[in-house]
Amino acid sequence: MEARDHELKKELAATLQARGELGAEYESVLIESFLEKVEQRLDTTLDRRVRRQLAEQQTAGVRGARPAQPESFGERYALGIASLILAVPLSAIGVANAGIEGLVVAWLGIVGVNAFQAARGGGLFRRRDERASSDWKD
């Protein structure tokens, strides 16, 4: 990287020297030329980064990589614990406003949210490409 920075510094110095020799009438042409070189350098750097990131994603996809850090107890069961804590006031609000039907709706909501979270973490809602690379292949 430092060599490329040095090249840009040399290009800038050459552009400034040419501006001094040629005069102000060529200033816009010289600036445009220098900015094109900077833009090419940025494009090259960005292309390299994008290619590297795509290669890493493809490699991770082929390997079936999962997040590196395992979930802790709190992360896995936080929603369940929070829903049990909130179940009491939600039940009371449901019963106070709609009777037994309100209680049933509140608990169906609690169970539904927890079931969705458990199913999502358990792999029922994995992406198609992840399912294709699962252990269930023949």
Side-chain angles (χ1 to χ4, degrees), residues 86-138:
L86 293 174
V88 173
L90 288 175
S91 298
I93 292 170
V95 168
N97 289 325
I100 192 73
E101 293 87 11
L103 179 66
V104 170
V105 169
W107 275 96
L108 285 176
I110 293 167
V111 170
V113 167
N114 283 289
F116 179 78
Q117 177 67 19
R120 189 176 64 108
L124 291 177
F125 294 97
R126 288 189 304 185
R127 294 187 330 220
R128 180 177 295 162
D129 58 345
E130 290 177 350
R131 276 185 267 144
S133 65
S134 71
D135 297 333
W136 292 93
K137 288 184 178 179
D138 291 334

Side-chain angles (χ1 to χ4, degrees), residues 23-40:
E25 60 269 4
Y26 291 100
E27 182 175 343
S28 63
V29 174
L30 292 170
I31 290 173
E32 286 178 21
S33 172
F34 177 73
L35 289 178
E36 284 178 14
K37 292 174 185 174
V38 171
E39 184 178 0
Q40 288 173 355

Side-chain angles (χ1 to χ4, degrees), residues 13-24:
T15 301
L16 292 173
Q17 184 179 2
R19 193 244 182 230
E21 293 173 3
L22 296 175

